[in-house]
Amino acid sequence: MTTPLRKVRGRPFKPGNSGRPPGSKNKITQIVEQLAAGHAERLFQKVVELAEAGDVACLRMMLDRLWPPRKGQPLNVNMPPINDSQDVPAAIVSIWTALREGRITPDEANALSGVVDRSIQAIELNDMMRRIENLEKAREPTK
């Protein structure tokens, strides 16, 4: 039984030619950019005029470009320092209190819980390293 041959899409590249280089632009994109380059200042002035005249779409576009929304923001959570494993429950209580009071979102609480988790891992790693050092010192022959 023979397997059907798949039709090659487009023109295959010649050996040694991998196609368009990374970062190169499509022909249409190049043409549009050339057209816009000659009129950029006038286009910008028109958008500003429309925004000042109350065109909500233009105003939104200007604000989005000039003042983009922040991806992250400072959180209002009073967390105690986490120096050892006994400090972790207090930190978790402060996160859940802030969530309950509406000062942070569930996603922010999740991110803060991740910070607490990383702190626990760092404390445990530090504790293990200290224990290993103590065991190695105890095994060394006394002179």
Side-chain angles (χ1 to χ4, degrees), residues 75-80 82 87-120:
L75 302 178
N76 184 17
V77 179
N78 295 324
M79 285 185 54
I82 302 173
D87 296 334
V88 171
I92 292 172
V93 166
S94 66
I95 293 170
W96 291 112
T97 302
L99 180 63
R100 185 185 71 237
E101 293 173 353
R103 290 184 282 136
I104 61 174
T105 65
D107 287 339
E108 292 167 338
N110 188 30
L112 286 173
S113 297
V115 171
V116 171
D117 185 47
R118 292 288 183 201
S119 299
I120 292 169

Side-chain angles (χ1 to χ4, degrees), residues 123-140:
I123 290 167
E124 288 173 347
L125 179 63
N126 188 31
D127 189 42
M128 272 194 285
M129 295 302 291
R130 187 177 43 79
R131 288 179 178 190
I132 290 171
E133 285 176 14
N134 290 340
L135 287 171
E136 288 175 347
K137 284 180 185 176
R139 290 190 70 196
E140 287 180 0

Side-chain angles (χ1 to χ4, degrees), residues 43 47-48 55-67:
L43 287 170
V47 169
V48 170
D55 187 330
V56 177
C58 287
L59 185 59
R60 182 178 299 122
M61 184 178 71
M62 292 295 294
L63 285 175
D64 286 346
R65 299 305 184 274
L66 298 173
W67 194 1

